């Protein structure tokens, strides 16, 4: 099958092409970011800092793929950026969304982020990062790390100066659920075998608790309707959650 030299205008199922943003060979029908590319390219052209952050992330995450797949990890970062920009025009918030996994998954340090992108971006990325405890097997620390994330986000909920952190967390977890739903349609419950935590009910617990926090923060909206974009994404979160976890529906009252 012939490899197309660049991303075509219309990609057919199974067609091989080269994605210039991901700098990777792709196949039509795989999880893609094609619908996001116009907005992402326009944003990068209009903001040199965003472009610089993307180039930095692309280099730091070079060769990384989503767990158990050959999907370039940059897809997750760009999707997280897109969800964040749907909620906020704050460029530093969007930059932090692109960089949100860089402390967890690369050798880059918080101090390096601070020097390159400023105090606020470094703080937002650090707040989105788990304490990995690399000296222990990741499966043993999974529940502890997720509980820490839930507790940290609950403390931030309702604080006006913490809305950026909560929006980035929503964008990140929604991007994860999007990818889970995409893969779940193909492989079903085999999906959970690739994770450090292989118990589906534990993932349902984690994403359910996070969903309750997001719903409590955003689902009601503000009296002037200014939180409408966040509320729309909370509803999208609910949709993917129900698709993947079925009977475990998210409810603020639970």
């Amino acid at each position: 099958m012939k490899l197309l030299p660049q991303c075509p205008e219309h990609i057919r199922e199974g067609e091989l092409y080269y994605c210039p943003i991901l700098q990777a060979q792709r196949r039509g029908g795989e999880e893609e970011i094609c619908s996001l590319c116009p907005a992402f390219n326009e944003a990068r052209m209009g903001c040199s800092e965003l472009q610089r952050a993307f180039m930095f992330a692309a280099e730091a995450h070079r060769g990384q793929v989503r767990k158990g797949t050959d999907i370039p990890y940059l897809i997750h970062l760009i999707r997280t950026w897109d969800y964040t920009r749907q909620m906020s025009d704050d460029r530093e918030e969007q930059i932090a969304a692109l960089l949100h996994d860089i402390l967890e998954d690369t050798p880059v340090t918080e101090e390096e982020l601070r020097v390159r992108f400023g105090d606020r971006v470094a703080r937002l990325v650090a707040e989105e990062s788990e304490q990995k405890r690399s000296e222990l097997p990741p499966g043993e620390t999974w529940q502890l790390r997720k509980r820490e994330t839930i507790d940290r986000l609950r403390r931030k909920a309702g604080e006006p100066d913490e809305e950026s952190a909560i929006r980035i967390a929503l964008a990140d977890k929604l991007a994860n659920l999007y990818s889970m739903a995409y893969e779940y349609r193909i492989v079903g419950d085999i999906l959970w075998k690739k994770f450090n935590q292989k118990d589906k009910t534990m993932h349902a617990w984690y994403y359910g608790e996070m969903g309750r926090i997001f719903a409590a923060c955003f689902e009601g909206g503000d009296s002037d309707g200014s939180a409408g974009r966040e509320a729309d994404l909370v509803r999208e979160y609910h949709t993917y959650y129900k698709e993947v976890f079925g009977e475990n529906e998210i409810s603020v009252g639970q």
Side-chain angles (χ1 to χ4, degrees):
M1 187 177 295
K2 184 179 179 181
L3 173 63
L4 297 176
Q6 59 186 5
C7 183
E9 184 176 354
H10 300 290
I11 301 170
R12 295 189 295 271
E13 184 78 18
E15 182 177 53
L16 292 175
Y17 67 97
Y18 181 80
C19 175
I21 290 181
L22 301 175
Q23 297 186 21
Q25 179 177 319
R26 305 289 290 144
R27 183 185 297 274
E30 296 177 330
E31 184 181 346
E32 297 166 338
I33 55 167
C34 299
S35 63
L36 314 183
C37 285
F40 187 54
N41 285 332
E42 182 179 355
R44 289 192 296 153
M45 287 189 293
C47 178
S48 60
E49 283 294 290
L50 187 66
Q51 169 66 359
R52 193 161 63 87
F54 174 67
M55 298 302 291
F56 186 69
E59 181 60 32
H61 290 279
R62 182 177 297 277
Q64 293 182 4
V65 294
R66 294 288 275 173
K67 190 183 297 292
T69 75
D70 60 357
I71 297 172
Y73 199 77
L74 283 178
I75 285 183
H76 172 67
L77 303 182
I78 293 170
R79 198 175 303 283
T80 301
W81 166 83
D82 182 66
Y83 282 133
T84 301
R85 69 101 186 170
Q86 290 182 46
M87 294 183 280
S88 174
D89 298 325
D90 185 326
R91 287 300 194 192
E92 288 187 331
E93 200 171 310
Q94 293 180 19
I95 287 169
L98 268 180
L99 299 171
H100 77 273
D101 275 333
I102 207 163
L103 297 181
E104 280 190 29
D105 298 334
T106 81
V108 173
T109 66
E110 185 176 348
E111 179 59 26
E112 187 174 358
L113 277 187
R114 185 172 293 108
V115 170
R116 288 176 177 268
F117 300 103
D119 291 344
R120 183 167 176 250
V121 168
R123 175 177 60 81
L124 287 170
V125 174
E127 289 174 350
E128 180 64 8
S129 303
E130 290 183 350
Q131 298 300 313
K132 287 284 195 177
R133 297 172 174 84
S134 57
E135 73 280 3
L136 297 172
E140 291 184 10
T141 64
W142 186 92
Q143 187 171 356
L144 172 61
R145 289 182 283 114
K146 303 313 177 190
R147 171 55 68 188
E148 288 174 343
T149 298
I150 292 167
D151 291 344
R152 183 171 65 250
L153 210 63
R154 280 197 176 129
R155 289 193 296 270
K156 295 178 181 297
E159 297 294 329
D161 58 346
E162 297 292 356
E163 285 190 353
S164 292
I166 297 174
R167 279 193 291 263
I168 293 171
L170 170 56
D172 175 26
K173 301 307 178 283
L174 179 51
N176 282 342
L177 278 177
Y178 178 100
S179 294
M180 283 183 184
Y182 179 91
E183 193 170 353
Y184 190 73
R185 292 167 200 149
I186 300 170
V187 303
D189 284 332
I190 294 174
L191 171 68
W192 312 108
K193 292 184 178 181
K194 71 177 184 177
F195 292 111
N196 294 319
Q197 172 56 261
K198 304 185 188 308
D199 185 344
K200 178 179 179 178
T201 63
M202 294 303 295
H203 292 274
W205 159 75
Y206 174 57
Y207 282 95
E209 291 299 306
M210 295 293 280
R212 292 184 183 96
I213 295 170
F214 300 140
C217 288
F218 297 129
E219 202 165 48
D222 296 336
S223 58
D224 63 359
S226 60
R229 291 181 291 181
E230 288 92 339
D232 287 344
L233 292 189
V234 170
R235 285 189 285 273
E236 185 173 338
Y237 188 105
H238 288 203
T239 298
Y240 291 135
Y241 183 93
K242 290 176 184 179
E243 180 177 353
V244 174
F245 297 111
E247 70 279 5
N248 301 288
E249 293 191 15
I250 302 171
S251 170
V252 181
Q254 288 182 337

